[in-house]
Amino acid sequence: MEIFKKGLILLTLATHQLLAQEVEKSANYLSKVWSPDLGNGKYKNPIINADYSDPDAIRVGDDFYMTASSFNHAPGLPILHSKDLVNWTIINHALPQQYPTAVFNKVQHGNGVWAPSIRYHQGEFYIYYGDPDFGIYMLKTKDPKGDWSEPVLIFEGKGLIDPCPFWDEDGQAYLSFAYAGSRAGLKSVVLIARLNEAGDKVLDKGVVVYDGHELDPTIEGTKLHKRNGYYYMFAPAGGVSTGWQLVLRSKSIFGPFERGVVMDQGKSPINGPHQGAWVDTQTGEDWFIHFQDKDAYGRVVHLQPMKWVNDWPVIGIEKGKKGTGEPVLEYKKPNVGKTYPMANPAESDEFETPLLGKQWQWQANPDGTWLMPGNNGALRLYTKKIPEGTKNLLDVPNILTQKFPADNFMATAKIKLKGNEKIDNERAGFAVVGEDYSQLFIKNTKQGQSLIFGVCKKGLTTGKEVEQQITSIKPNEYIYLRVKVTDGGKCNWFYSLDDKKYTGVGDTFVAKPGKWIGATLGLYAIRDTQINDSGYADVDWFRVEAVK
């Protein structure tokens, strides 16, 4: 028993050491396709040109932490870290798998984690999120880079979304939230419920404190704050791609609330600027993080200056309307007392470590048999039988995805397929995944291996993939699959046998968003039948570069 305990301690220490190495590697990553830091004391928006929708952020000491919606993808609830609000890196996911696990072992497009809030209270980090089909969950930790607790369902019910906790000076705790009309049959209202002191159970069903039907349709995503004796609810309204940022204030937590539109698009090119986080710096500056919906690119993250005028916030720069700001495209960086190195969320991956990079997520909960990272410097993907009734690739859980990282970029995967001789029709490939998708993949049959180009339209509903054989290839040899993405989500596919000469295939494909998310880049290995073993694909590397 003593030997077992020592072995377990050594294994735990080794795991934590690997995690620390992975976080350090991620912290030093510099993107070749998008960096918001202009290097001259200014930054440009978006600060993260990728789909981190419904962002919320806090400052704890000299560190800023952000989380975002992750919907059906696992791991979920990404944790990003910054020292200056401009340079961000991915350090963790708070949710290793989606709950209830039996439900999310299958692909659940658009379901799962909606609009989380992150808060710091009495030495612990808390995240609250709504799952529109089950209710509101809470999880917490003392170390955001480490393990988070399993989520606790603190408020059960259909359509409960967009929660935010608030602990008042008198020890009372509250939770603001909204309703998803698709499940609850009601939307455009925000509510406040009482929380117990531990924050792990609501004490009532809540009361409607603001009705936005007339002036602010689709109001949701509230964030609760208190300043100068006022309770504030920062809330988006008006719809994902067309909305505005609303702030409600009252001297009482339950209202009545005054209303103010503190940011809208105005004459800027930033559509629907809303939903996010008010954060301050150590030097007393105020800033606001929000998203912009960019269709196939998802909801990208912007940073706006913020000021207080007569106890009302003004976000962005006032131009046409008094008290209402417009988003900035470029501005001086926040004053955090120091200057920090440039860093960006990870994209490329050489697959040299035994832990998967933080940029990767699956379409559903992984079962542990799908991959082996860092296998002799490659990512090994074992072919997995597709679920019964699969219409197309969007029903496949074991697609390893990451977000589009910029408006223009080039992504290349060096991949080979080692087929199992007892299995016919094993496939492994690289796809641009959305409601429409396109892909290049290797197909292994008794006659040999072929490279196939596939396109599927309306894949979430009636779509059936159309395939075109491109060429025969040598079995068990690496091939290079590449997609070039340019403005408007235009995708052009290429392949190479030597990473020098690339041949274009197919017509230009225009990427489409998925269900509530932007398009993603996906790697996979699948088969149609089940025996007592599988073949596998090895991905030597995956690289994101500027378009050549």
Side-chain angles (χ1 to χ4, degrees), residues 288-300:
F288 189 75
I289 292 170
H290 68 94
F291 74 69
Q292 175 200 8
D293 188 306
K294 291 176 60 178
D295 198 45
Y297 295 96
R299 286 177 259 180
V300 303

Side-chain angles (χ1 to χ4, degrees), residues 297-362:
Y297 295 96
R299 286 177 259 180
V300 303
V301 184
H302 288 244
L303 176 68
Q304 303 298 335
M306 178 176 140
K307 64 181 180 180
W308 289 91
V309 180
N310 298 324
D311 286 325
W312 284 101
V314 179
I315 299 173
I317 300 298
E318 284 179 298
K319 289 187 177 179
K321 303 174 188 175
K322 192 70 174 174
T324 302
E326 295 182 12
V328 300
L329 288 174
E330 187 177 309
Y331 205 74
K332 65 179 181 180
K333 290 172 61 178
N335 179 8
V336 293
K338 293 181 181 179
T339 300
Y340 291 94
M342 295 183 188
N344 311 113
E347 300 153 354
S348 298
D349 202 331
E350 298 296 316
F351 301 119
E352 293 174 339
T353 68
L355 294 177
L356 198 59
K358 302 297 182 186
Q359 66 269 44
W360 297 104
Q361 295 173 289
W362 299 99

Side-chain angles (χ1 to χ4, degrees), residues 7 15 23 25 42 71 79 150 210 226 233 243 271 279 303 320 434 465 484 507 509 513 529:
T15 301
V23 169
K25 183 179 77 172
K42 296 182 177 181
F71 299 100
I79 305 296
E150 285 194 7
Y210 185 78
K226 193 174 185 180
M233 283 199 293
N271 61 292
V279 289
L303 176 68
E465 186 172 337
K484 291 183 180 180
D507 297 326
F509 168 81
T529 56

Side-chain angles (χ1 to χ4, degrees), residues 211-475:
D211 186 325
H213 281 95
E214 293 182 12
L215 296 176
D216 301 297
T218 319
I219 186 172
E220 55 192 5
T222 57
K223 298 293 184 285
L224 275 173
H225 300 278
K226 193 174 185 180
R227 178 185 181 273
N228 286 356
Y230 283 103
Y231 294 92
Y232 291 91
M233 283 199 293
F234 286 63
V240 170
S241 61
T242 56
W244 51 89
Q245 183 63 34
L246 191 70
V247 166
L248 307 171
R249 77 174 189 183
S250 175
K251 290 285 188 176
S252 165
I253 186 70
F254 292 107
F257 284 90
E258 302 173 82
R259 168 189 182 272
V261 176
V262 298
M263 179 175 60
D264 62 18
Q265 179 173 353
K267 295 181 179 178
S268 81
I270 310 304
N271 61 292
H274 67 338
Q275 187 149 352
W278 163 34
V279 289
D280 64 2
T281 68
Q282 309 91 311
T283 61
E285 293 181 349
D286 295 293
W287 295 84
F288 189 75
I289 292 170
H290 68 94
F291 74 69
Q292 175 200 8
D293 188 306
K294 291 176 60 178
D295 198 45
Y297 295 96
R299 286 177 259 180
V300 303
V301 184
H302 288 244
L303 176 68
Q304 303 298 335
M306 178 176 140
K307 64 181 180 180
W308 289 91
V309 180
N310 298 324
D311 286 325
W312 284 101
V314 179
I315 299 173
I317 300 298
E318 284 179 298
K319 289 187 177 179
K321 303 174 188 175
K322 192 70 174 174
T324 302
E326 295 182 12
V328 300
L329 288 174
E330 187 177 309
Y331 205 74
K332 65 179 181 180
K333 290 172 61 178
N335 179 8
V336 293
K338 293 181 181 179
T339 300
Y340 291 94
M342 295 183 188
N344 311 113
E347 300 153 354
S348 298
D349 202 331
E350 298 296 316
F351 301 119
E352 293 174 339
T353 68
L355 294 177
L356 198 59
K358 302 297 182 186
Q359 66 269 44
W360 297 104
Q361 295 173 289
W362 299 99
Q363 277 204 144
N365 285 338
D367 70 3
T369 66
W370 295 352
L371 86 168
M372 180 181 180
N375 180 63
N376 295 320
L379 171 70
R380 177 157 292 181
L381 298 170
Y382 299 100
T383 64
K384 186 77 174 178
K385 181 180 180 294
I386 60 176
E388 295 294 331
T390 295
K391 299 190 302 292
N392 54 52
L393 207 57
L394 299 185
D395 293 327
V396 174
N398 56 309
I399 300 181
L400 186 63
T401 71
Q402 67 165 278
K403 307 170 192 303
F404 273 25
D407 293 50
N408 296 274
F409 66 93
M410 181 173 74
T412 310
K414 181 182 178 182
I415 184 171
K416 67 178 178 181
L417 176 60
K418 172 68 174 177
N420 187 306
E421 61 183 17
K422 297 180 181 179
I423 303 173
D424 199 26
N425 211 30
E426 287 183 296
R427 285 129 25 228
F430 176 21
V432 169
V433 184
E435 183 170 6
D436 294 355
Y437 69 81
S438 64
Q439 61 163 329
L440 272 176
F441 65 95
I442 306 165
K443 186 175 184 179
N444 191 63
T445 67
K446 291 182 175 62
Q447 289 72 43
Q449 288 193 356
S450 299
L451 181 66
I452 310 292
F453 178 62
V455 175
C456 179
K457 300 289 182 70
K458 297 182 180 179
L460 290 176
T461 51
T462 58
K464 188 172 183 180
E465 186 172 337
V466 177
E467 298 179 358
Q468 174 189 352
Q469 181 168 330
I470 303 302
T471 186
S472 298
I473 56 177
K474 293 180 180 179

Side-chain angles (χ1 to χ4, degrees), residues 45-68:
N45 273 316
I47 53 168
I48 304 177
N49 201 5
D51 185 28
Y52 289 92
S53 62
D54 312 317
D56 192 32
I58 54 172
R59 177 176 64 85
V60 179
D62 293 333
D63 297 281
F64 298 92
Y65 297 96
M66 184 194 302
T67 191

